[in-house]
Amino acid sequence: MGDVASHERRLAAAAVHALTASGVVWAFLSLIAAVQGDWPLMFAWLGFALFVDGIDGPLARKVGITRVLPGWNGEILDLVVDYLTYVFIPAYAAVAAGLFPDGFGLFGAAIICLSSAGFFAKRAQKSADNYFIGFPAVWNLVLFYWMVFDSGPELVMASTIAFGLLTFFPVMFIHPVRVAKFRNASLLVTVASIPLALIAILQDLSPADWVKAGLAAALVYLFGVSLWRTLFGSTD
């Protein structure tokens, strides 16, 4: 009976690893959409990859994946997928969409890719209270806001440089799920943002003003809490 249970646990753990690995498929599909210039479809696939990234961690912890399958490193697998979906594809899309000033596409993409590689290589990515230390390379989110708000090339370039630099400074960025302080408010903001993002995608990234207002409010909240934690060291 114990062998059967152990076999079932190994199968469950393997299934979680397979779920994480499926992110490379969603990344590839999003890349195809980006090559075709279909930005809403690209974000749809990136959004699905983000959903998978959000559920595989809790599932891994539930099945005790490191104990059941010690020979496989889910964290490294997750980093591979994250670099593709959070960094590499958004960098390509920003260049392909002509978001950077003329002649600066490669420069902007290099900042995105190199700064993010630096963040992924950091041993101390999070503080004791689970804030990211430095900009956490969420370029998929940055790209989404650039496109929805039709940011001009100068703003895109300036924000790329700013976020690239902030990757290496002790500036705190909130993790909306793992940071305990204001978790309910953070989850509410995050959950409320999902249908707004879906509407924006369905409306070809040109949504109504009220959708943009909601997305902007969510960003202000996340940046506000992050700034408070950076300046005062606490969200009490």
Side-chain angles (χ1 to χ4, degrees):
M1 194 71 171
D3 290 340
V4 173
S6 177
H7 180 65
E8 289 178 349
R9 285 195 296 269
R10 286 196 296 270
L11 284 177
V16 175
H17 276 317
L19 177 66
T20 301
S22 74
V24 300
V25 178
W26 319 131
F28 189 73
L29 290 171
S30 67
L31 179 59
I32 292 174
V35 170
Q36 296 172 343
D38 191 339
W39 312 122
L41 182 58
M42 178 196 72
F43 279 117
W45 287 121
L46 288 179
F48 191 73
L50 185 63
F51 170 74
V52 170
D53 187 46
I55 65 173
D56 64 353
L59 289 174
R61 290 186 287 273
K62 183 175 180 63
V63 301
I65 201 165
T66 55
R67 176 174 50 82
V68 177
L69 290 178
W72 296 84
N73 193 320
E75 291 183 358
I76 292 178
L77 178 60
D78 190 59
L79 286 176
V80 171
V81 175
D82 284 354
Y83 192 82
L84 289 173
T85 56
Y86 282 64
V87 180
F88 193 80
I89 293 170
Y92 169 81
V95 174
L99 299 186
F100 293 109
D102 290 342
F104 285 86
L106 180 58
F107 178 64
I111 292 175
I112 292 173
C113 293
L114 291 172
S115 65
S116 300
F119 180 81
F120 276 54
K122 286 169 62 175
R123 292 189 184 275
Q125 292 183 346
K126 293 189 183 125
S127 64
D129 52 352
N130 286 320
Y131 282 81
F132 291 108
I133 305 173
F135 176 66
V138 286
W139 292 102
N140 49 351
L141 179 62
V142 173
L143 178 68
F144 179 76
Y145 273 85
W146 280 344
M147 288 191 167
V148 168
F149 287 88
D150 197 22
S151 303
E154 293 76 15
L155 178 58
V156 169
M157 191 74 255
S159 55
T160 298
I161 294 172
F163 285 129
L165 290 173
L166 288 176
T167 302
F168 304 101
F169 283 83
V171 177
M172 302 298 179
F173 285 84
I174 187 174
H175 189 301
V177 176
R178 295 190 180 181
V179 171
K181 295 292 184 181
F182 305 139
R183 178 176 288 157
N184 290 339
S186 298
L187 287 175
L188 179 62
V189 169
T190 302
V191 171
S193 299
I194 294 173
L196 296 177
L198 289 175
I199 291 172
I201 291 172
L202 291 172
Q203 294 182 350
D204 201 28
L205 304 181
S206 298
D209 288 343
W210 67 271
V211 176
K212 291 183 179 181
L215 291 171
L219 196 62
V220 168
Y221 168 81
L222 295 174
F223 272 121
V225 175
S226 300
L227 182 61
W228 183 271
R229 172 63 177 81
T230 300
L231 294 177
F232 301 105
S234 173
T235 50
D236 289 333

